[in-house]
Amino acid sequence: MARRIKKVAIVGSGIMGSGIACHFANIGVEVLLLDIVPREVNDKEKAKGLTLEDKVVRNRLVNDALMASLKSKPSPIYNQKFASRITTGNLEDDIAKVAHVDWIMEVVVERLDIKKSVFEKLEKYRTPGTIISSNTSGIPIQFMNEGRSDDFQQHFAVTHFFNPPRYLKLFEVVPGPNCKQEVTDFLMMYAEKFLGKTAVLAKDTPAFIGNRIGIFGIQSLFHQVKELGLTVEEVDKLTGPVIGRPKSATFRTVDVVGLDTLVHVANGIYENCPDDEAHELFKLPDFINTMMENKWLGSKTGQGFYKKTVVEGKKEILTLDLDTLEYRTNKRAKFATLELTKTIDKPIDRFKILVGGKDKAGEFYRKNFAAMFAYVQNRIPEISDELYKIDDAMKAGFGWENGPFEIWDAVGVEKGIELMKVEGNEPATWVTDMLASDSKTFYSVKEGATYFYDIPSKTQTKKPGQDAFIILDNIRKTNEVWKNSGVVIEDIGDGILNVEFQSKMNTIGGDVLAGINKGIDLAEKDFQGLVVGNQAANFSVGANIGMIFMMAVEQEYEELNYAIKYFQDTMMRMRYSSIPTISAPHGMALGGGCEISLHADKVVAAAETYMGLVEFGVGVIPGGGGSKEMALRASDSFNKGDVELNILQENFLTIGMAKVSTSAYEAFDLGLMQKGKDVVVVNKDRQIATAKAHAKLMAESGYTQPPKRKDVKVLGKQALGMFLVGTDSMEHSKYISEHDQKIANKLAYVMAGGDLSEPTLVTEQYLLDIEREAFLSLCTERKTLERIQHMLKTGKPLRN
């Protein structure tokens, strides 16, 4: 029988437990969150005359923990309304309720004795056949299994989420020694399909895969810093976005995670892996021991490798000097080698240059990668039988763009061995066997699929689980239909084309608009449908404001008018083409990136989509049809009998306050996505494939071109008057500046449909024309140009 997960119980409501509870709530599962009963009443409760018998006291720990989690930033939940799917309780009064759940997950402190006593309690009430798992990050399963019934052991595994559970994609599954194969298979499938994770099957070895390799990398750095005489800032510069790692790089990440957490895992590996050839490396260097003694644990104690202070009323971040162990002002890190990679967009293409650097940076990369290559090659088959699992774990758990074996391929397998030998390390037998066989690389791509070198068979084998994905990097080489400097159009199969942005930050300029138009032309002629989607970090940060700035400064208003009209016309083509158009936003979908989604026939958004019309930040209103569209959507709601002014006012504020959704689900609340029409995909890896499936379904269901709108109801003076009174009082009370008021009034004019004397039905084109006119007039304002220039220079909005 097919398993269904309708309800889960999470035992332990700490940061991880509450975060996991929120993520199950995110995907629509009912959650029972349990924790212990407090030992005593606190002062607040005493003052209210409460005792340990009162429910509110008995559930205090679990309720406080969940509330703290829901208030934390970044939020663990897609939409605060989803928290209603979580019911709280305690392990004495509510434990019997675990009989009615489909999966019980233990997330209590990392102590075997406590875990065992929790399992003993749970076993009394657990219904046989229910999945039970532990979120431990390192306690061996065989110890947790001891003394449990056969049924418990057959359904028991470790399911290790990474923190924060909503955002980090790694989900390590470690089946217990007697766990049924079907349970393991189910957990792998469920994590990938429903929880949106990268599921990695790991062995029951200390710290599993992610932390074993990740902590090795950090410890290796701790030891190299002194040896190479590098500062904290220099290491963070070298180990951040330049090599496809998160902005927080190394030391900033340790501060966020907490030094004590890192030390706990490192000590665990040191004690439990006596035969590890890098055993001594897991010993903590002196400066780490001192930091632990001083309680400099990072963000939670206010200081770690970095320390926030206020100097003369200004916030300043100081850095720890690793030699003197005193805090000093930040020093900018600069390296000649990094300058050489500035023109190379993709981190994977930079590695060859980085290891060839002639300065300290080059030396650092050679040593660093040599140590990493040597370590990961020796972990097979100890922690994993297949090399791709190590890469998947590092990418999903630590936010690396490329895993260690992918980096080794990029440097060149022979070159990697050469770097290792300089550091006194030899290649593993299986690596030399690979070079002696027909395979010269760890990975290869055939017919759009990724293959990896399989050690036992000594052949390139297809990586499992790809059938649900479309990987644009793999198919671009063979399925390219058309390209220009900003776009590649690919045939993604079944008669569907994909328009993939390739501009810097995926900004939208003339080349991208030409690409969208070309995609529609090709699809209308020879295909069934069109997806606009990519797999970069962000869908699009909006229009190319540098281009708008140049035209405005040089007063080329006619050209600027033409450029805006071209954007609007392209959006209208997306809406009124004879084939279905699907937008697949993820990450940032701002300004023009949001307008593309507003005009598609359907939006298939990744759950992590941060969508908004943010043009106010640069002193203009949305000019690619965004202002028109929000007026049109308000008009459609009037017909449903909603209070006319309320919806229009909400849409006006969404633009005027440059609101950005913190998830795709929040975009529905902002009116940027439409209920019943647009859909959300939790696993971003499935997004392009899902978008394609929707395009295909719409085409097969007999998609016809919608008629152009001539029935948009605008309220004219009735709405305009209300908006102008509002902006006037806001400017008067100094809530907004004079220039803010000017922009808001232009937006009000567009959304009211002008100063018509009574509610009137207008065409969509009428609204686009007044939108464009308002946009252009704002581009002649000095203060708008100052805002654009400030954004181009600093990346931050200016309030003037």
Side-chain angles (χ1 to χ4, degrees):
M1 93 181 181
R3 268 183 196 277
R4 295 266 182 273
I5 301 292
K6 295 184 213 132
K7 195 165 186 179
V8 299
I10 308 288
V11 182
S13 65
I15 291 172
M16 275 311 276
S18 290
I20 293 168
C22 286
H23 195 56
F24 273 103
N26 280 337
I27 64 163
V29 174
E30 273 186 71
V31 182
L32 173 67
L33 181 63
L34 302 175
D35 214 320
I36 55 174
V37 174
R39 293 208 181 94
E40 51 195 38
V41 264
N42 63 23
D43 295 341
K44 247 194 203 159
E45 291 159 344
K46 266 186 204 148
K48 286 184 185 165
L50 296 169
T51 70
L52 280 178
E53 297 312 305
D54 289 296
K55 189 84 177 156
V56 59
V57 176
R58 296 176 76 75
N59 286 351
R60 178 197 348 126
L61 294 177
V62 67
N63 287 335
D64 285 358
L66 180 59
M67 284 316 294
S69 181
L70 289 168
K71 283 181 187 155
S72 65
K73 288 208 169 19
S75 174
I77 206 149
Y78 292 151
N79 189 315
Q80 290 292 331
K81 288 187 276 199
F82 295 175
S84 64
R85 296 167 181 166
I86 303 171
T87 309
T88 53
N90 65 69
L91 282 168
E92 287 172 26
D93 308 330
D94 305 288
I95 191 161
K97 294 176 183 169
V98 303
H100 310 295
V101 305
D102 309 297
W103 179 352
I104 303 168
M105 191 182 304
E106 165 276 308
V107 198
V108 302
V109 291
E110 289 286 80
R111 265 181 52 190
L112 182 62
D113 56 337
I114 294 176
K115 288 187 189 290
K116 286 183 85 160
S117 79
V118 167
F119 291 140
E120 201 163 312
K121 277 183 193 158
L122 290 169
E123 184 144 32
K124 287 179 188 149
Y125 298 99
R126 169 186 167 270
T127 302
T130 305
I131 290 175
I132 181 149
S133 69
S134 169
N135 183 62
T136 180
S137 55
I139 293 179
I141 297 195
Q142 66 224 40
F143 300 146
M144 293 192 282
N145 242 344
E146 275 169 10
R148 302 274 64 85
S149 69
D150 287 352
D151 187 83
F152 185 105
Q153 293 192 28
Q154 285 164 4
H155 296 88
F156 183 59
V158 162
T159 49
H160 183 216
F161 282 87
F162 272 55
N163 193 25
R166 167 181 165 181
Y167 299 95
L168 283 182
K169 288 196 63 177
L170 181 56
F171 183 84
E172 291 177 314
V173 176
V174 189
N178 307 321
C179 182
K180 287 181 175 175
Q181 186 60 42
E182 64 181 75
V183 172
T184 307
D185 295 345
F186 175 79
L187 289 169
M188 295 289 288
M189 176 283 296
Y190 189 86
E192 191 271 315
K193 192 173 178 180
F194 293 90
L195 291 164
K197 300 296 173 199
T198 299
V200 173
L201 190 63
K203 295 185 178 186
D204 193 9
T205 55
F208 311 131
I209 297 177
N211 280 333
R212 180 76 175 272
I213 305 298
I215 300 294
F216 165 81
I218 292 172
Q219 285 287 114
S220 161
L221 268 176
F222 283 169
H223 292 283
Q224 281 173 4
V225 171
K226 285 292 184 80
E227 191 188 333
L228 292 170
L230 290 164
T231 65
V232 165
E233 297 95 329
E234 285 175 329
V235 171
D236 277 356
K237 178 86 174 170
L238 295 169
T239 57
V242 69
I243 57 168
R245 308 270 168 90
K247 267 213 286 275
S248 54
T250 302
F251 290 116
R252 179 83 196 91
T253 300
V254 174
D255 274 358
V256 172
V257 172
L259 187 62
D260 50 342
T261 308
L262 178 96
V263 165
H264 174 75
V265 185
N267 285 338
I269 299 172
Y270 184 75
E271 285 156 25
N272 296 310
C273 302
D275 302 331
D276 188 315
E277 78 282 358
H279 184 244
E280 286 312 298
L281 207 87
F282 289 98
K283 226 186 198 157
L284 301 165
D286 294 343
F287 69 88
I288 296 291
N289 287 324
T290 307
M291 288 175 74
M292 286 295 287
E293 283 160 25
N294 292 350
K295 297 263 189 296
W296 295 349
L297 308 179
S299 308
K300 58 182 157 193
T301 58
Q303 63 194 96
F305 292 103
Y306 295 98
K307 177 183 181 176
K308 280 185 185 162
T309 56
V310 177
V311 182
E312 293 168 7
K314 266 191 175 173
K315 278 185 187 165
E316 202 183 324
I317 293 176
L318 302 177
T319 311
L320 187 65
D321 183 310
L322 298 179
D323 292 322
T324 64
L325 288 187
E326 284 173 4
Y327 289 93
R328 54 161 174 76
T329 49
N330 230 317
K331 290 181 189 167
R332 261 196 80 197
K334 227 178 157 196
F335 296 98
T337 298
L338 299 191
E339 298 298 313
L340 300 175
T341 63
K342 278 205 165 147
T343 53
I344 302 170
D345 283 342
K346 291 196 168 148
I348 193 78
D349 300 328
R350 296 177 191 150
F351 293 111
K352 258 199 169 103
I353 291 168
L354 296 175
V355 297
K358 304 275 187 280
D359 56 0
K360 210 170 8 174
E363 190 187 349
F364 168 80
Y365 287 124
R366 288 188 289 277
K367 273 186 178 304
N368 193 283
F369 292 137
M372 181 57 82
F373 299 160
Y375 194 69
V376 293
Q377 64 167 7
N378 292 336
R379 300 286 70 74
I380 297 174
E382 180 199 347
I383 64 172
S384 169
D385 294 324
E386 293 90 6
L387 60 92
Y388 72 83
K389 288 180 181 168
I390 290 178
D391 281 357
D392 280 356
M394 297 320 295
K395 292 192 288 188
F398 287 80
W400 293 13
E401 218 165 291
N402 310 106
F405 290 106
E406 290 173 345
I407 296 171
W408 195 344
D409 264 348
V411 167
V413 181
E414 301 268 14
K415 177 71 180 169
I417 292 173
E418 188 187 306
L419 298 179
M420 278 165 29
K421 285 184 168 170
V422 171
E423 298 299 322
N425 292 310
E426 287 301 316
T429 315
W430 71 264
V431 177
T432 39
D433 286 352
M434 178 182 89
L435 289 175
S437 74
D438 292 337
S439 295
K440 300 291 179 248
T441 53
F442 298 112
Y443 292 101
S444 57
V445 173
K446 279 184 262 186
E447 290 147 15
T450 302
Y451 284 71
F452 71 97
Y453 176 71
D454 178 61
I455 296 164
S457 68
K458 298 189 180 178
T459 57
Q460 289 281 334
T461 306
K462 190 175 174 183
K463 186 180 167 186
Q466 288 176 82
D467 302 335
F469 303 159
I470 289 174
I471 302 165
L472 294 175
D473 276 349
N474 287 356
I475 65 167
R476 196 180 303 116
K477 302 172 179 79
T478 50
N479 292 27
E480 184 185 298
V481 176
W482 185 88
K483 77 182 282 191
N484 68 8
S485 58
V487 155
V488 176
I489 299 175
E490 301 108 347
D491 177 352
I492 52 176
D494 293 331
I496 308 298
L497 284 181
N498 182 69
V499 172
E500 180 185 13
F501 299 171
Q502 296 259 302
S503 53
K504 193 171 170 67
M505 297 278 289
N506 286 343
T507 50
I508 303 161
D511 48 357
V512 169
L513 295 173
I516 295 173
N517 280 295
K518 184 69 179 177
I520 296 169
D521 288 342
L522 292 167
E524 285 184 329
K525 187 165 169 278
D526 296 318
F527 291 83
Q528 303 283 312
L530 181 79
V531 172
V532 177
N534 61 68
Q535 289 166 333
N538 295 300
F539 177 68
S540 170
V541 296
N544 181 343
I545 55 170
M547 181 190 76
I548 295 169
F549 181 70
M550 292 304 291
M551 288 182 191
V553 167
E554 289 166 19
Q555 300 187 0
E556 292 170 348
Y557 298 126
E558 215 161 294
E559 280 187 38
L560 187 51
N561 180 40
Y562 175 74
I564 311 301
K565 187 166 187 323
Y566 186 35
F567 199 136
Q568 289 183 339
D569 292 349
T570 305
M571 295 302 97
M572 296 302 274
R573 272 211 79 193
M574 271 190 80
R575 170 153 296 167
Y576 296 112
S577 60
S578 59
I579 42 101
T581 57
I582 310 282
S583 169
H586 63 273
M588 287 192 271
L590 305 175
C594 176
E595 285 171 316
I596 287 170
S597 294
L598 291 176
H599 289 89
D601 289 310
K602 193 182 201 82
V603 179
V604 175
E608 297 301 340
T609 299
Y610 317 119
M611 190 186 278
L613 294 163
V614 295
E615 287 82 352
F616 259 58
V618 288
V620 290
I621 66 167
S627 305
K628 171 273 303 176
E629 186 59 23
M630 294 307 268
L632 183 145
R633 289 187 180 191
S635 156
D636 288 347
S637 73
F638 303 160
N639 304 335
K640 294 186 190 133
D642 288 328
V643 181
E644 297 193 348
L645 281 171
N646 286 7
I647 302 286
L648 189 66
Q649 196 170 11
E650 273 177 36
N651 288 1
F652 174 79
L653 287 173
T654 293
I655 299 176
M657 294 170 75
K659 290 182 184 176
V660 176
S661 70
T662 62
S663 73
Y665 287 100
E666 238 181 56
F668 287 111
D669 294 349
L670 296 177
L672 301 170
M673 282 174 61
Q674 295 178 300
K675 288 192 172 100
K677 186 184 103 165
D678 299 333
V679 294
V680 179
V681 180
V682 182
N683 190 334
K684 189 175 141 206
D685 294 339
R686 286 174 168 254
Q687 188 184 11
I688 301 286
T690 307
K692 170 186 148 178
H694 279 284
K696 188 177 169 218
L697 185 67
M698 287 169 81
E700 285 168 358
S701 309
Y703 178 84
T704 46
Q705 185 168 331
K708 291 207 168 152
R709 296 287 299 269
K710 299 181 179 125
D711 60 343
V712 185
K713 183 179 181 182
V714 292
L715 303 178
K717 280 190 165 137
Q718 180 196 353
L720 188 57
M722 173 194 72
F723 286 142
L724 297 183
V725 168
T727 61
D728 201 49
S729 73
M730 283 174 87
E731 194 272 330
H732 203 70
S733 57
K734 298 282 176 269
Y735 188 71
I736 58 174
S737 71
E738 209 174 302
H739 193 54
D740 289 328
Q741 185 184 7
K742 187 174 274 183
I743 308 163
N745 288 350
K746 296 272 185 192
L747 175 66
Y749 186 84
V750 176
M751 292 187 76
D755 56 1
L756 304 168
S757 55
E758 58 184 19
T760 310
L761 296 180
V762 299
T763 65
E764 214 171 336
Q765 193 55 53
Y766 166 82
L767 285 174
L768 284 170
D769 292 342
I770 61 172
E771 172 189 278
R772 192 170 69 255
E773 203 179 301
F775 185 96
L776 279 168
S777 71
L778 285 166
C779 287
T780 64
E781 298 278 346
R782 183 177 57 82
K783 286 194 167 171
T784 285
L785 296 182
E786 284 170 6
R787 286 188 181 195
I788 298 178
Q789 191 172 20
H790 190 268
M791 179 63 82
L792 287 167
K793 270 189 180 160
T794 66
K796 292 186 174 81
L798 169 73
R799 292 293 298 274
N800 57 355

